[in-house]
Amino acid sequence: MSSAASAASAAVDHMRTWWCGTAEGDWTSMALYSDGSYGVPKGLIFSFPCTVKDGVATIVQGIEHSSYAQDKIRATADELSSERAAVADLLS
């Protein structure tokens, strides 16, 4: 029951941020189509740090990640790319 409430709360918070925007100098994480930022292949849907203004999410650039975090980003991107390739024939 608590995990469902937690997920619902996170969804509400996400929508509030999307509607109201982020405060000046603040950012949030949102799943967006990759534009190649942080080495994530273009077109993958990936969680990025972003600002939101007038309902438009923009990826925050220039955040320095530790080598550990870079490895985790790369591993997640590789896994998502593999999953996308596995279902590619279903889309045509």
Side-chain angles (χ1 to χ4, degrees):
M1 189 73 128
S2 66
S3 63
S6 178
S9 178
V12 168
D13 290 345
H14 182 85
M15 295 308 295
R16 181 184 305 114
T17 300
W18 199 358
W19 180 261
C20 297
T22 51
E24 186 68 32
D26 197 9
W27 54 269
T28 190
S29 294
M30 287 190 166
L32 303 172
Y33 279 102
S34 175
D35 61 1
S37 294
Y38 299 102
V40 177
K42 289 183 179 182
L44 281 183
I45 297 175
F46 202 88
S47 182
F48 289 99
C50 62
T51 57
V52 182
K53 183 173 180 163
D54 298 326
V56 177
T58 303
I59 298 172
V60 175
Q61 299 297 324
I63 294 176
E64 296 290 327
H65 293 96
S66 67
S67 60
Y68 175 80
Q70 290 174 19
D71 288 345
K72 294 300 179 184
I73 290 168
R74 190 170 20 263
T76 301
D78 289 348
E79 183 177 345
L80 290 171
S81 293
S82 175
E83 290 172 356
R84 180 174 60 181
V87 299
D89 62 321
L90 299 175
L91 300 175
S92 52

